[in-house]
Amino acid sequence: EKARAEADALARDRREQLAKLANLSEADARAQFIKEAEQAALRDANEVSRRILAEAKSRSEEQAKRIVFGVKK
């Protein structure tokens, strides 16, 4: 609950800052804030995806070496 309230307060402050800096209405500031949050979430998801793929590749290469060369763990 407390973390949620803090996040809401930070989001509200960010929208107000956007509105003041860019002379935006509250609705426009909210839309801009949501767009920025979506972009940040996509970047984060992309990074997680890259890490998962890199780890999977590494594991599959190790497994292939063990199969081909008969190396045991």
Side-chain angles (χ1 to χ4, degrees), residues 31-63:
Q32 181 66 30
F33 175 79
I34 290 171
K35 182 178 177 182
E36 289 177 9
E38 287 173 345
Q39 289 172 344
L42 286 173
R43 281 191 302 274
D44 291 346
N46 194 13
E47 180 60 32
V48 169
S49 177
R50 278 193 206 131
R51 271 190 268 137
I52 290 170
L53 289 173
E55 187 176 320
K57 180 180 177 186
S58 176
R59 286 182 181 178
S60 65
E61 288 172 351
E62 272 301 312
Q63 187 175 13

Side-chain angles (χ1 to χ4, degrees), residues 3 13-14 16 25 27 37-38 49 57 65-69:
D13 290 346
R14 178 71 173 134
E16 289 172 3
S25 70
E38 287 173 345
S49 177
K57 180 180 177 186
K65 286 178 187 176
R66 284 195 302 272
I67 292 169
V68 170
F69 299 113

